[in-house]
Amino acid sequence: MPTQEPLLLRHHRPFMAFWLARIFTASGFQMLTVAIGWNLYQLTGNVLDLGLVGLVEFAPRVLFMLHTGHVADRYDRRKVAALCQSLQALIALALAIGSATDHVTREMIFILAFLLGAARSFEMPTTQALLPSIVPSALFPRAVAAAQSAQQSATIVAPALGGLLYAFGSVWVYGPTVLLYVIACTLMLNLPARQTPLNKGKATLDSLLAGIRFIRGRPDILGAISLDLFAVLLGGATALLPVFAKDILLTGPWGLGLLRSAPAVGALLMSLFLARFAVERNVGRVMFTAVGIFGVATIAFGLSTSFWFSLAVLVVLGAADMISMVIRASFVQLETPDEMRGRVSAVNGLFIGASNQLGEFESGLTAHWFGTVPAVVMGGIGTLVVTGTWIKLFPTLANRDRMHVPVEEKV
């Protein structure tokens, strides 16, 4: 049976449609991000504007956090995801027309960046909540890993493709991006309809906060989500990669590109492995071990003065992070009732976004105070401290054996 399950996943048509849609949307976003960054910098020459674009894209996730989950639980998730992808296609189309007519402005980019962030803030929890209804629960951990392989593949390939196309003009990036989103939208609308009843309740404050209350009442889910938040918040070193590349590893832009790609390469390889060999037992122990390896790899990277060793350590770091992510995403979705998955995914998405954004700020701040190498090393040590502390605070999570415990076994 174990040798047949991956075959079933590959031949599961709804999942393959979902997987392809994930490839197209992730590639479209990566290409769009590259083009927007270059376009804005060409217009203003201001480095601060590049940081502001990221902040503008992240703002809707905070502003609409409670509403995004409710929308995912109340309405047809296929149509919500398709609508979000259609909006992103229109954003790319607006930029393509603006570039072709030479009417792209700084203000226009910021407005469209906010709309892009708003579309993604509704799309992400919706697609996360949609996946469990597409595949059987026995295949779900493999499906999560396979879906992540699509994300990581796009992260590696799409930015380079976007940069290559931009050499011919920004329209050559924005135009194909429109097509990618349209194809993804079509694939989403062809997924099977939701089998469980829709949540017809009104968007009251009580229903909007239900996702937060649900997480607070489930120690294992709360522990997993908060572990990721603090581990990445302290251990994230990606914001400092330009400093390491230039001043410590003594390499050029090509080296920085390889350093940025290395974690994604490790994550992709591990996601492909987990799609074939899912973690089915001792999931708590494996997850905490992976987070610990993430911390150790962060320390090793901070202390390294060898470019190739640093590259290898970042690959390990990305692989360890993928193990933790797949386990967390799998059991959180499986332990959450379908009618709550949108709201829980929205809260989880905010935690993930906050850990990435605030992690970059924390890295820059500590590097300013203590120096680049001490900042990264202290971050890795902080991740190990958090790991040990969370094992004590959430013993049932640390000792968790399986992804999902059937209700009859809990009683």
Side-chain angles (χ1 to χ4, degrees):
M1 288 299 294
T3 58
Q4 295 177 356
E5 285 182 345
L7 183 64
L8 289 173
L9 183 61
R10 288 198 300 271
H11 288 271
H12 199 281
R13 288 189 176 182
F15 173 76
M16 291 307 301
F18 179 90
W19 188 84
L20 288 171
R22 187 73 176 264
I23 280 275
F24 291 134
T25 54
S27 298
F29 175 72
Q30 293 292 338
M31 292 172 64
L32 205 55
T33 300
V34 168
I36 287 174
W38 275 106
N39 209 339
L40 181 62
Y41 193 65
Q42 282 183 327
L43 285 172
T44 69
N46 189 346
V47 178
L48 180 61
D49 282 343
L50 299 179
L52 290 176
V53 165
L55 184 62
V56 168
E57 287 182 7
F58 177 70
R61 189 175 297 182
V62 179
L63 294 175
F64 305 132
M65 179 193 73
L66 297 176
H67 295 84
T68 56
H70 186 83
V71 168
D73 288 334
R74 186 176 183 184
Y75 300 101
D76 188 329
R77 289 168 182 160
R78 301 171 306 157
K79 294 179 180 179
V80 173
L83 181 62
C84 294
Q85 290 155 4
S86 299
L87 176 57
Q88 292 172 82
L90 290 175
I91 292 169
L93 180 61
L95 287 166
I97 295 173
S99 297
T101 59
D102 199 25
H103 282 88
V104 175
T105 64
R106 176 178 181 270
E107 291 72 22
M108 175 185 177
I109 289 179
F110 278 118
I111 292 172
L112 293 178
F114 181 85
L115 293 176
L116 179 64
R120 284 177 55 80
S121 69
F122 281 90
E123 180 191 14
M124 292 174 67
T126 301
T127 53
Q128 288 175 7
L130 182 63
L131 183 56
S133 64
I134 294 176
V135 297
S137 59
L139 291 177
F140 185 65
R142 289 183 171 88
V144 172
Q148 283 300 313
S149 72
Q151 180 73 34
Q152 297 302 325
S153 298
T155 302
I156 295 170
V157 177
L161 178 60
L164 179 64
L165 291 175
Y166 199 94
F168 299 97
S170 57
V171 177
W172 288 89
V173 184
Y174 296 134
T177 301
V178 176
L179 180 61
L180 291 175
Y181 279 120
V182 170
I183 295 173
C185 177
T186 304
L187 289 169
M188 277 291 171
L189 290 175
N190 282 288
L191 291 176
R194 186 176 182 178
Q195 300 300 315
T196 56
L198 296 173
N199 176 10
K200 296 296 185 179
K202 294 183 178 180
T204 63
L205 181 61
D206 184 68
S207 68
L208 295 176
L209 294 175
I212 296 176
R213 289 199 304 271
F214 180 86
I215 292 173
R216 287 183 58 188
R218 303 299 192 281
D220 284 7
I221 295 178
L222 175 61
I225 293 177
S226 57
L227 173 66
D228 176 76
L229 169 64
F230 289 104
V232 176
L233 177 66
L234 295 173
T238 54
L240 302 177
L241 287 181
V243 182
F244 274 91
K246 182 177 183 294
D247 299 333
I248 298 174
L249 302 177
L250 305 178
T251 184
W254 66 272
L256 175 59
L258 290 177
L259 290 172
R260 285 195 176 277
S261 298
V265 170
L268 173 61
L269 293 175
M270 182 54 67
S271 66
L272 294 174
F273 177 83
L274 293 175
R276 178 66 177 84
F277 303 101
V279 179
E280 297 177 346
R281 305 303 297 266
N282 298 316
V283 294
R285 187 179 305 170
V286 173
M287 183 178 69
F288 276 102
T289 301
V291 177
I293 292 174
F294 179 89
V296 172
T298 301
I299 296 172
F301 174 77
L303 295 175
S304 173
T305 56
S306 165
F307 173 75
W308 296 108
F309 179 75
S310 297
L311 208 61
V313 166
L314 288 176
V315 171
V316 173
L317 183 147
D321 189 42
M322 178 55 62
I323 295 172
S324 170
M325 192 288 303
V326 168
I327 292 176
R328 183 185 68 257
S330 298
F331 93 76
V332 167
Q333 291 289 352
L334 291 173
E335 289 288 286
T336 303
D338 184 68
E339 66 273 11
M340 289 290 300
R341 281 179 177 144
R343 282 165 283 183
V344 171
S345 296
V347 178
N348 187 27
L350 179 65
F351 273 54
I352 294 172
S355 65
N356 292 329
Q357 299 288 332
L358 296 179
E360 293 184 2
F361 175 73
E362 179 271 337
S363 296
L365 188 62
T366 52
H368 176 72
W369 286 344
F370 306 108
T372 303
V373 171
V376 174
V377 172
M378 287 190 297
I381 294 173
T383 297
L384 295 178
V385 172
V386 167
T387 303
T389 303
W390 257 238
I391 290 175
K392 297 293 184 182
L393 292 176
F394 301 94
T396 58
L397 176 61
N399 296 318
R400 190 181 183 91
D401 183 44
R402 287 180 290 174
M403 294 286 187
H404 178 55
V405 181
V407 175
E408 58 271 16
E409 294 185 22
K410 293 181 181 179
V411 179

